[in-house]
Amino acid sequence: MLQVKKDASLLNVNIPYGMVEVRYPPREAWRETEFRETAERELSELKKRHASYDRKAVFGENPYVRFFKKFKKTYPVLLQFESVVCKGRPFPFENYVTAVPFLLEMTDQVLSGTHDADCVEGGLTLFFGKEKLPFTGLRGAEAHTYPGDFCARDNGGLVFSEIAGVEIRSCARPDSRHVFYPIFGTPDMPGTVVADAVERLIQYVYLLVPTAQVESMIL
């Protein structure tokens, strides 16, 4: 499994972090139909439960919303939830590897992501941002970290920013088969929130591919 450590900047910052690393076998072993049916059933239940959706009732006490608001940002999972669950936009089944954490975000409203583990140089070092560090984000967009941001770097530079997203070098591609899924916490969030999300994500991985090789950790 990828080696992950927290540097000294996080010694007095209580932000739980979870990670699930997966090696997927060739697609012949995947159970895409079963995963899709389960996802559609869970999404249908969410739509029924939130037929009279009220943003404040669902996300008003969400710690991620409060965390992102400090950076004058809207929590992206909130927007995705409203798009898929409330407005009926299509669920992104185009890439099942990235659909796994997306389903987790819909059901648990936690923040996750997908990275190609083979693109990571050495291990990951988690750190607490103290300045704006520029990087190239998804689809080539220019982005930067923030003071107070939760970030990770490897021997090649920045890997992710919780607030600004993934650095393009390690973003998952359609043919990525060795991936890791970060599950982010927020300051002073109970570790059980992240631990429960890790377990649910693993369930989704095995639903899609029962023979996948899975390892996980919580820091």
Side-chain angles (χ1 to χ4, degrees):
M1 188 171 188
L2 288 173
Q3 297 299 306
V4 183
K5 64 180 181 180
K6 293 182 177 181
D7 80 358
S9 65
L10 286 167
L11 288 178
N12 297 312
V13 181
N14 178 29
I15 300 180
Y17 172 80
M19 194 172 87
V20 178
E21 185 175 340
V22 183
R23 293 181 183 272
Y24 286 101
R27 290 191 66 167
E28 293 76 22
W30 297 15
R31 297 183 177 179
E32 296 176 8
T33 300
E34 287 85 345
F35 179 87
R36 188 181 190 110
E37 289 175 347
T38 297
E40 290 176 341
R41 182 170 61 253
E42 294 194 0
L43 289 169
S44 177
E45 292 172 355
L46 283 171
K47 290 174 182 178
K48 291 178 182 177
R49 192 184 316 155
H50 298 287
S52 300
Y53 173 77
D54 178 83
R55 176 183 284 190
K56 186 175 181 179
V58 178
F59 286 95
E61 300 301 320
N62 187 295
Y64 294 99
V65 172
R66 295 197 299 271
F67 186 52
F68 273 75
K69 191 174 182 179
K70 291 180 180 179
F71 303 91
K72 299 180 180 180
K73 301 287 184 180
T74 301
Y75 181 40
V77 172
L78 180 156
L79 299 176
Q80 293 164 353
F81 184 91
E82 292 181 343
S83 177
V84 174
V85 175
C86 303
K87 299 178 182 177
R89 302 279 169 75
F91 184 89
F93 285 114
E94 297 82 6
N95 184 348
Y96 282 89
V97 170
T98 54
V100 166
F102 194 94
L103 182 59
L104 172 73
E105 292 177 336
M106 294 300 96
T107 56
D108 286 30
Q109 289 87 58
V110 300
L111 181 63
S112 185
T114 312
H115 294 260
D116 191 315
D118 290 336
C119 294
V120 174
E121 300 178 23
L124 290 177
T125 299
L126 307 175
F127 66 97
F128 196 57
K130 294 185 178 180
E131 59 182 334
K132 291 184 177 182
L133 298 175
F135 68 94
T136 302
L138 198 62
R139 303 182 188 88
E142 293 304 311
H144 60 78
T145 64
Y146 294 81
D149 197 356
F150 181 75
C151 309
R153 61 176 179 265
D154 66 359
N155 293 340
L158 192 79
V159 174
F160 64 65
S161 150
E162 180 166 0
I163 299 301
V166 57
E167 201 278 333
I168 194 170
R169 176 171 52 92
S170 71
C171 67
R173 295 160 175 80
D175 60 349
S176 296
R177 294 295 176 266
H178 178 203
V179 303
F180 75 89
Y181 300 114
I183 298 177
F184 300 97
T186 65
D188 299 320
M189 172 183 284
T192 53
V193 174
V194 170
D196 290 346
V198 165
E199 290 304 314
R200 184 184 283 268
L201 191 145
I202 291 173
Q203 291 174 9
Y204 288 148
V205 170
Y206 282 137
L207 173 65
L208 176 62
V209 188
T211 57
Q213 298 178 33
V214 180
E215 295 181 275
S216 65
M217 68 167 62
I218 299 172
L219 292 176

